[in-house]
Amino acid sequence: MSGIMIGNNNYMSPYAGGYASASAGYSVSGQTSAISDARKTVQNPGESTEVRPGRKSSPAECETCKNRKYQDGSDEMVSFKSAAHISPEASASRVRAHEQEHVNNAYSKAAQKGGKVLAANVTLKRAICPECGTSYVAGGTTATRIKYPNESNPYMQNKKSLDAASIKGNYLDLAV
């Protein structure tokens, strides 16, 4: 699209070919238009200011990454009970540490009730920001299996008696 740049004002010809884009900046002889100047606010300091092909903004200007919040939905006492922001670079370590809190809680719960942790699996979910294309950890889940001894359960008592009956005589040596 053709445009004429005069000072800080951008005059677009409605009769020129092409399509206007609110996210595109236009320049003539090295000067940047008012449209791109309004967008060039740094939301995430320290990030790249390069806009990748097919993306709306650079990681430094990404409003989505700036406003992304993480919150825990479980009924355990762990971090992130209230929504909090994590930068995309720190998301992997912070989410991994949060999920480790759930694993530690499972071991504590098992120890208090005389149980044994059979398995503790942590899964981290990754995503890509639709605005700037930055990869980040979007969340995680922890699945634990705990086995508790239950001597008063009639089914367990029956199982033990069946096991005892099947084992009797297995190790008997009647050699003469």
Side-chain angles (χ1 to χ4, degrees):
M1 179 162 201
S2 62
I4 301 171
M5 179 65 121
I6 301 175
N8 285 336
N9 297 321
N10 187 11
Y11 298 94
M12 297 302 227
S13 169
Y15 301 104
Y19 298 96
S21 172
S23 64
Y26 302 95
S27 64
V28 175
S29 69
Q31 294 177 336
T32 307
S33 72
I35 292 173
S36 67
D37 285 342
R39 286 187 59 244
K40 293 277 183 187
T41 58
V42 175
Q43 302 292 337
N44 305 304
E47 292 291 329
S48 170
T49 56
E50 178 185 340
V51 179
R52 296 179 189 149
R55 300 298 177 187
K56 296 178 186 174
S57 67
S58 70
E61 302 163 355
C62 184
E63 192 72 27
T64 304
C65 288
K66 179 187 175 219
N67 295 327
R68 184 175 302 112
K69 303 228 184 256
Y70 291 77
Q71 185 171 10
D72 181 63
S74 70
D75 58 354
E76 294 182 29
M77 290 306 301
V78 290
S79 59
F80 296 107
K81 285 317 244 178
S82 60
H85 172 72
I86 304 174
S87 70
E89 299 81 31
S91 64
S93 61
R94 296 282 304 270
V95 171
R96 194 176 322 122
H98 170 80
E99 296 304 326
Q100 184 62 41
E101 291 179 43
H102 288 291
V103 172
N104 292 342
N105 286 349
Y107 276 96
S108 297
K109 185 178 173 183
Q112 289 173 355
K113 297 181 181 178
K116 179 181 177 184
V117 176
L118 299 177
N121 299 319
V122 174
T123 305
L124 299 181
K125 297 176 182 102
R126 296 194 65 82
I128 296 177
C129 178
E131 186 177 340
C132 68
T134 301
S135 176
Y136 64 97
V137 173
T141 56
T142 300
T144 57
R145 285 188 17 206
I146 303 172
K147 179 182 178 183
Y148 295 105
N150 192 357
E151 301 295 330
S152 63
N153 185 349
Y155 294 106
M156 285 300 289
Q157 291 174 354
N158 189 25
K159 182 178 183 277
K160 284 186 178 187
S161 66
L162 285 173
D163 287 343
S166 67
I167 293 175
K168 283 183 185 175
N170 282 352
Y171 302 107
L172 185 61
D173 188 8
L174 296 175
V176 183

